[in-house]
Amino acid sequence: QVQLDQSGPRLVKPSETLSLTCAISGDNVSSDGVTWNWIRQSPSRGLEWLGWTYYRSKWYSDYAVSVRSRIIFDADTIKNQFSLHLKSVTPGDTAVYFCARGGPNTPVSVFQFWGQGILVTVSS
Amino acid sequence: EIVLTQSPGTLSVSPGERATLSCRASESVSTFIAWYQQKPGQAPRLLIYGAYSRATGIPDRFSGSGSGTDFTLTIRRLEPEDFAVYFCQQHGGSPPWTFGRGTKVEVK
């Protein structure tokens, strides 16, 4: 059974970088046929897909337009985890952040396994 | 990006009755619609993908239908654990993958 365990700070100051990590068990971050996604949820934006990263002989990432200029994903094959780094945060980035896996028994853009979610508050 | 509109915002249903939830896309998504259930403090749980395919372990009282722009999630004979918020998501074509704002199913 795949499990995703999220970690990271719950409070980030405005203009700083929000970094979260999703540790994977029951699968491998470089598995073929899967994608590793970040999704956030807030009352104002609802559920918002932030982007994905995946390995197909090399690493690929794609990001939502709303955050593309501020966001980077990376993956650590040794620790079997992937991370989100969102720069220059504002209070508008306050949300519950989820990591999620797409595929392989579903389409890669369908999310069957999710992390527990972390509420990140942006405030001074 | 594709906008998904869910209705109603809140649905009041008695246990044992049927619930019918709607999701409308701003343009055709073929049958690339998924449905999720979310309870307070939890991550969403995948119910349906490809408009009508049930995810592993999902009871057959959950069913999905539709194609193009109009989709329905039906829950027949609501159980106490089915009272939750339900989201649709489009998953075809290319990113971004978008979600509806949700329908809350509450006890009547």
Side-chain angles (χ1 to χ4, degrees):
Chain A
Q1 179 78 338
V2 175
Q3 285 194 299
L4 304 178
D5 186 24
Q6 298 178 230
S7 59
R10 272 60 171 171
L11 181 63
V12 180
K13 290 183 168 55
S15 79
E16 295 190 343
T17 297
L18 183 166
S19 293
L20 297 173
T21 295
C22 185
I24 303 162
S25 56
D27 197 356
N28 193 299
V29 71
S30 54
S31 289
D32 195 14
V34 301
T35 59
W36 303 102
N37 299 262
W38 288 99
I39 296 160
R40 68 183 178 184
Q41 185 174 28
S42 65
S44 58
R45 296 173 178 265
L47 284 162
E48 181 184 16
W49 178 82
L50 298 177
W52 60 10
T53 191
Y54 54 92
Y55 186 77
R56 304 286 187 269
S57 302
K58 68 175 185 177
W59 286 100
Y60 296 86
S61 294
D62 195 9
Y63 306 113
V65 169
S66 61
V67 294
R68 187 168 292 162
S69 63
R70 303 190 287 130
I71 198 168
I72 288 179
F73 297 160
D74 58 46
D76 185 328
T77 57
I78 303 298
K79 295 182 178 179
N80 201 31
Q81 63 188 31
F82 62 107
S83 299
L84 168 155
H85 307 281
L86 182 64
K87 302 185 302 183
S88 305
V89 297
T90 70
D93 293 310
T94 295
V96 177
Y97 286 76
F98 295 99
C99 58
R101 189 188 82 169
N105 300 315
T106 63
V108 293
S109 50
V110 171
F111 315 119
Q112 185 164 21
F113 293 102
W114 295 66
Q116 78 274 26
I118 290 181
L119 172 59
V120 179
T121 301
V122 178
S123 174
S124 54
Chain B
E1 67 179 41
I2 295 172
V3 176
L4 300 179
T5 302
Q6 292 188 244
S7 61
T10 302
L11 186 61
S12 298
V13 189
S14 298
E17 291 188 341
R18 172 190 298 251
T20 303
L21 290 66
S22 175
C23 176
R24 175 165 288 177
S26 59
E27 62 186 80
S28 176
V29 295
S30 183
T31 57
F32 296 115
I33 281 288
W35 290 92
Y36 299 83
Q37 175 195 70
Q38 188 178 34
K39 296 180 180 178
Q42 297 184 15
R45 172 195 182 199
L46 176 66
L47 301 174
I48 301 282
Y49 63 93
Y52 52 82
S53 296
R54 267 189 301 277
T56 303
I58 301 304
D60 63 5
R61 66 179 182 272
F62 291 93
S63 63
S65 63
S67 65
T69 61
D70 291 301
F71 301 87
T72 299
L73 173 69
T74 300
I75 314 169
R76 57 181 174 84
R77 298 196 307 273
L78 272 159
E79 299 284 345
E81 62 267 28
D82 299 336
F83 292 95
V85 181
Y86 293 82
F87 296 94
C88 57
Q89 177 226 337
Q90 61 87 11
H91 64 83
S94 53
W97 317 119
T98 54
F99 295 83
R101 293 304 298 251
T103 290
K104 181 180 181 180
V105 178
E106 66 175 23
V107 179
K108 185 175 182 180

